[in-house]
Amino acid sequence: MANQQLLDERMNVLGSVRSWPEEMLARLRRRIEQGSDDALYRINPFDFAAGEGFEPGLTLELMLHAARADLFQMQWALVCRGCGEMVLQHERLNLLEDHFFCDVCDR
């Protein structure tokens, strides 16, 4: 269960960044309040946009700002295109390597 006071504070920070569609903020809040830890751990901005009928680019922007407001922790992952294994993961995009090797499938 979400800490309502903390959630209010962080949603207010997110809302102050720009003028987001009210329904978008309301659905994000509802997802945080009602979503399981597993569902929130792997939330995907594009899946959220498709499921809620929002524009993907705006939803990605919302999620990036939500991470900045400490509603989420953003992780960037490199996934092997051969086997689908997550090979590397970083908190900052600029830390990702240009090339990587997958130990699972030797690619």
Side-chain angles (χ1 to χ4, degrees), residues 41-68:
Y41 175 73
R42 300 288 296 203
I43 194 166
N44 179 305
F46 299 110
D47 291 343
F48 180 75
E52 298 291 340
F54 296 135
E55 194 275 316
L58 183 61
T59 305
L60 177 59
E61 186 179 344
L62 174 75
M63 294 295 192
L64 289 170
H65 283 286
R68 220 175 228 184

Side-chain angles (χ1 to χ4, degrees), residues 2-63:
N3 175 323
Q4 292 299 312
Q5 181 180 351
L6 188 57
L7 181 57
D8 288 343
E9 290 171 8
R10 293 184 179 171
M11 289 298 294
N12 287 337
V13 169
L14 180 59
S16 71
V17 171
R18 65 167 282 184
S19 179
W20 304 102
E22 286 186 34
E23 187 62 23
M24 186 177 250
L25 288 176
R27 290 188 194 178
L28 177 62
R29 182 185 185 103
R30 187 169 38 249
R31 178 70 60 96
I32 292 170
E33 290 174 332
Q34 297 174 359
S36 69
D37 287 344
D38 288 339
L40 293 172
Y41 175 73
R42 300 288 296 203
I43 194 166
N44 179 305
F46 299 110
D47 291 343
F48 180 75
E52 298 291 340
F54 296 135
E55 194 275 316
L58 183 61
T59 305
L60 177 59
E61 186 179 344
L62 174 75
M63 294 295 192

Side-chain angles (χ1 to χ4, degrees), residues 64-83:
L64 289 170
H65 283 286
R68 220 175 228 184
D70 288 329
L71 284 163
F72 296 107
Q73 291 180 346
M74 183 68 73
Q75 297 275 325
W76 298 93
L78 292 177
V79 177
C80 176
R81 60 189 169 133
C83 69

Side-chain angles (χ1 to χ4, degrees), residues 77-80 85-89 100-103:
L78 292 177
V79 177
C80 176
E85 182 73 21
M86 183 172 34
V87 178
L88 296 170
Q89 184 172 297
F100 63 91
F101 179 80
C102 178
D103 291 325

